[in-house]
């Protein structure tokens, strides 16, 4: 939770949208770099594999990785070894 | 309706009448009959409950948490080691403020392995943030199970209903049950609480140094205030059942010099003893905390002012000066004594009650003692 949140409901529950303020990008030690955008279009399901919902598709087409939230876990790169590469930051 | 029934069957009967959305449980002595009978109701089509027979108590409570977070009316039961195994998620249910009802057939926690009654299991969850209600007989267990559903849904605090293992879980008594129509009307339609299916809510957030103490203070405050809801719901229940329950029960308090405090089924033996002594002109009284969390400190302090009090404890707080109940009551009354009794289900009937009360009326006693230790057992 972040200091910017001024109200929490019972049991520290918050609206799912409020968790957007908790940006996990600063946790990152490695950054996923997409090598092949065309290949990404064939693997829309990768959006669901990302625990931070940081891989953005628009209208079924790959758009970008939101680095404000990508925490560098490497799940995407492990799944699409030939398409995404993890680089040290 | 009048029924000859034991505590376990009374609980599953009450739950059958209510037909909760979800029951997730794991059988353990002495509450197994609850799960057994309730599962039979499910198999026979008497209820439409989603009955999850989990592989452990930890999973059972986790399923209850998920179901309640999804807006379901949830029920479960456990005891002893099962409750101990569940304890991590018991805290989580309370921390997430999820309504649910759990019945506990009190049985001590090993080792050494044991089957019979003491309160070391549910006292383990004393500080978890659940409402805890301890019953003395089968009628009270039946009534409290029904009231618990209403209490938990009004307060958004999970409710634990306790009965003494074997004494009450397996002891048969004649009770008055409500008709299913009455029970359903009393408990009422499940109110809607914010849940994961209806709105986009995140449960189980991280709450670190910036917010944790505030969230906890709110939880503490709400539990302390929940006695108002409990009293209100008990009043509503009394209106049509004519059975009245308070936060505690007492006998002869007003003019008593000496008051014996005890919980659960052993109160009956203490009360009978006090009634007999009253006939002989002895100014004795007794008191039974029923709602243990939230604990009615102010009311009890006022009731016991100036009296000699003897607090009976069916649990041990190892290394402490007194037992868990003793710790609650120390500082109340004019003179305070604490007696540990009945551990591991050591019988405490009328004979023992008379003996113990007699001792305290006769002469000087130690501030803290174990009652009824065998002298022939070298240890
Ligand atoms: S590294 Fe992890 S968090 Fe970042 S985009 Fe890949 S899966 Fe998502």
């Amino acid at each position: 939770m972040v200091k910017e949140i001024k109200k929490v409901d019972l049991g520290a529950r918050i609206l799912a949208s409020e968790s957007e303020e908790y940006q996990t990008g600063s946790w990152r030690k490695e950054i996923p770099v997409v090598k092949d955008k065309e290949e990404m279009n064939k693997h829309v399901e990768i959006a669901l594999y990302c625990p931070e919902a940081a891989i953005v598709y628009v209208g079924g087409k790959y758009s970008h990785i939101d680095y404000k939230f990508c925490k560098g876990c490497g799940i995407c790169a492990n799944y699409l070894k030939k398409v995404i590469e993890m680089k040290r930051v | 309706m009048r029924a000859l029934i034991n505590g376990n069957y009374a609980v599953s009967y009450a739950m059958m009448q209510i037909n909760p959305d979800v029951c997730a449980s794991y059988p353990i002595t002495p509450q197994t009959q609850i799960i057994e009978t309730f599962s039979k109701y499910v198999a026979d089509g008497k209820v439409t409950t989603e009955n999850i027979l989990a592989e452990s108590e930890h999973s059972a409570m986790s399923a209850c948490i998920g179901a309640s977070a999804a807006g379901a009316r949830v029920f479960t039961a456990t005891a002893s080691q099962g409750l101990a195994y569940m304890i991590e998620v018991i805290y989580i249910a309370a921390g997430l403020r999820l309504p649910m009802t759990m019945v506990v057939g009190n049985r001590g926690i090993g080792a050494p392995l044991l089957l019979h009654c003491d309160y070391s299991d549910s006292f383990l969850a004393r500080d978890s943030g659940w409402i805890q209600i301890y019953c003395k007989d089968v009628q009270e267990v039946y009534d409290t199970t029904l009231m618990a559903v209403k209490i938990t849904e009004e307060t958004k605090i999970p409710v634990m209903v306790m009965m003494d293992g074997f004494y009450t879980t397996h002891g048969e008594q004649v009770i008055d049950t409500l008709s299913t129509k009455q029970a359903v009307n009393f408990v009422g339609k499940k109110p809607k609480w914010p849940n994961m299916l209806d709105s986009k809510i995140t449960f189980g957030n991280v709450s670190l140094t910036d917010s944790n103490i505030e969230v906890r203070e709110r939880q503490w405050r709400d539990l302390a205030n929940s006695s108002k809801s409990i009293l209100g719901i008990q009043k509503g229940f009394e209106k049509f059942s004519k059975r009245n329950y308070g936060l505690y029960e007492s006998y002869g308090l007003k003019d008593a010099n000496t008051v014996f405090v005890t919980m659960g089924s052993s109160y009956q033996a203490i009360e009978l003893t006090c009634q007999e002594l009253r006939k002989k002109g002895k100014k004795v009284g007794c008191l039974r905390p029923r709602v243990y969390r939230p604990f009615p400190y102010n009311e009890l302090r006022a009731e016991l002012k100036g009296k000699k009090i003897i607090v009976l404890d069916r649990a041990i707080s190892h290394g402490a000066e007194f037992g868990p109940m003793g710790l609650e009551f120390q500082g109340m009354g004019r003179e305070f004594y604490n007696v540990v009794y009945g551990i591991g289900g050591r019988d405490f009937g009328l004979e023992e009650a008379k003996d113990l009360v007699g001792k305290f009326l006769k002469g000087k006693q130690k501030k803290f003692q174990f009652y009824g230790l065998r002298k022939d057992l070298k240890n």
Side-chain angles (χ1 to χ4, degrees):
Chain A
M1 205 178 290
V2 278
K3 278 219 164 93
E4 286 69 53
I5 293 177
K6 296 295 181 206
K7 185 188 180 312
V8 286
D9 215 325
L10 289 185
R13 69 188 69 145
I14 55 173
L15 288 176
S17 58
E18 283 172 309
S19 65
E20 282 178 16
E21 289 179 39
Y22 199 49
Q23 299 182 356
T24 39
S26 64
W27 298 8
R28 204 167 48 228
K29 291 278 176 288
E30 291 188 341
I31 189 164
V33 177
V34 173
K35 294 189 290 189
D36 187 342
K37 284 198 169 194
E38 276 310 308
E39 269 304 300
M40 287 294 276
N41 286 336
K42 295 183 199 154
H43 295 282
V44 192
E45 73 279 7
I46 194 74
L48 298 175
Y49 278 56
C50 172
E52 293 299 330
I55 308 177
V56 183
Y57 281 79
V58 178
K61 292 250 176 269
Y62 169 71
S63 166
H64 64 283
I65 290 180
D66 190 336
Y67 290 117
K68 285 204 299 291
F69 295 101
C70 165
K71 61 186 174 193
C73 68
I75 288 173
C76 55
N78 190 52
Y79 180 67
L80 294 178
K81 289 198 172 70
K82 295 200 175 98
V83 192
I84 305 175
E85 197 186 337
M86 299 302 288
K87 292 207 165 135
R88 294 292 293 183
V89 285
Chain B
M1 198 176 78
R2 294 227 125 180
L4 177 66
I5 195 171
N6 75 22
N8 283 334
Y9 293 143
V11 168
S12 44
Y13 187 75
M15 275 300 152
M16 183 269 280
Q17 294 183 304
I18 293 174
N19 190 14
D21 300 320
V22 174
C23 171
S25 58
Y26 189 87
I28 183 167
T29 301
Q31 63 79 12
T32 303
Q33 290 175 330
I34 298 178
I35 307 307
E36 235 167 48
T37 326
F38 191 77
S39 296
K40 188 165 180 350
Y41 287 135
V42 175
D44 293 347
K46 293 243 165 64
V47 290
T48 54
T49 306
E50 180 73 45
N51 194 31
I52 303 167
L53 301 173
E55 80 282 10
S56 78
E57 285 86 355
H58 191 282
S59 305
M61 179 47 65
S62 300
C64 290
I65 289 170
S68 181
R73 182 176 270 171
V74 182
F75 160 70
T76 187
T78 194
S80 186
Q81 316 294 129
L83 194 148
Y85 190 20
M86 211 185 243
I87 196 76
E88 183 208 359
V89 263
I90 282 178
Y91 271 71
I92 290 179
L96 294 179
R97 300 297 302 273
L98 294 170
M100 66 181 71
T101 303
M102 175 156 82
V103 176
V104 175
N106 279 114
R107 163 184 162 194
I109 292 187
L113 180 65
L114 77 167
L115 294 172
H116 297 92
C117 173
D118 65 48
Y119 302 132
S120 49
D121 53 357
S122 52
F123 279 2
L124 183 64
R126 180 190 65 183
D127 301 336
S128 64
W130 283 57
I131 289 170
Q132 286 203 337
I133 307 178
Y134 289 79
C135 303
K136 71 167 180 188
D137 60 17
V138 178
Q139 182 74 63
E140 188 178 344
V141 170
Y142 173 79
D143 294 346
T144 308
T145 303
L146 292 172
M147 289 189 275
V149 176
K150 233 175 141 63
I151 295 168
T152 190
E153 288 172 5
E154 188 171 305
T155 58
K156 311 289 183 291
I157 298 171
V159 178
M160 218 177 273
V161 178
M162 264 59 69
M163 60 175 150
D164 288 2
F166 293 106
Y167 292 114
T168 314
T169 56
H170 289 66
E172 292 192 339
Q173 287 166 12
V174 176
I175 67 162
D176 285 316
T177 58
L178 304 181
S179 72
T180 296
K181 202 167 157 221
Q182 273 179 321
V184 168
N185 276 348
F186 167 70
V187 171
K189 243 179 99 106
K190 177 183 64 180
K192 260 203 178 292
W193 53 86
N195 66 73
M196 293 197 295
L197 295 188
D198 290 344
S199 33
K200 290 178 181 161
I201 305 175
T202 305
F203 280 84
N205 282 306
V206 176
S207 161
L208 301 179
T209 50
D210 61 346
S211 54
N212 200 288
I213 192 171
E214 285 80 8
V215 173
R216 285 277 177 248
E217 189 274 340
R218 169 78 193 268
Q219 195 186 348
W220 175 88
R221 183 166 19 112
D222 286 358
L223 183 57
N225 289 336
S226 68
S227 51
K228 284 190 205 90
S229 294
I230 297 171
L231 286 170
I233 287 163
Q234 290 180 162
K235 266 259 146 351
F237 185 81
E238 185 188 343
K239 258 189 208 134
F240 67 93
S241 71
K242 306 280 172 260
R243 291 192 288 276
N244 121 42
Y245 295 101
L247 299 176
Y248 52 90
E249 181 184 357
S250 65
Y251 166 76
L253 269 195
K254 243 197 170 82
D255 62 340
N257 300 323
T258 310
V259 179
F260 292 84
V261 178
T262 186
M263 277 211 298
S265 61
S266 55
Y267 177 78
Q268 300 175 62
I270 290 283
E271 191 185 31
L272 280 172
T273 305
C274 289
Q275 284 167 350
E276 264 182 35
L277 287 168
R278 277 269 163 181
K279 282 187 206 135
K280 292 179 193 154
K282 298 262 190 264
K283 292 215 161 139
V284 290
C286 51
L287 185 140
R288 175 179 72 91
R290 175 178 129 79
V291 177
Y292 183 56
R293 283 294 179 274
F295 195 70
Y297 295 95
N298 294 333
E299 292 88 334
L300 293 178
R301 195 168 286 129
E303 292 270 32
L304 296 170
K305 205 171 164 224
K307 300 183 192 303
K308 171 175 167 180
I309 58 174
I310 297 99
V311 177
L312 275 66
D313 238 308
R314 202 164 208 156
I316 300 170
S317 178
H318 293 281
E321 191 179 7
F322 302 116
M325 282 272 282
L327 292 169
E328 306 282 0
F329 281 91
Q330 64 170 334
M332 292 190 197
R334 160 177 60 85
E335 228 180 305
F336 165 82
Y337 298 90
N338 188 204
V339 180
V340 170
Y341 79 105
I343 297 297
R346 175 65 56 84
D347 213 9
F348 190 82
L350 207 45
E351 223 172 280
E352 289 80 9
K354 276 184 187 161
D355 177 55
L356 179 90
V357 170
K359 272 187 178 159
F360 273 90
L361 293 185
K362 227 179 271 154
K364 227 178 136 42
Q365 290 292 323
K366 282 193 197 130
K367 256 211 144 1
F368 177 77
Q369 61 176 294
F370 278 75
Y371 173 76
L373 294 181
R374 272 174 59 186
K375 295 203 170 57
D376 61 337
L377 185 67
K378 285 217 169 63
N379 185 20

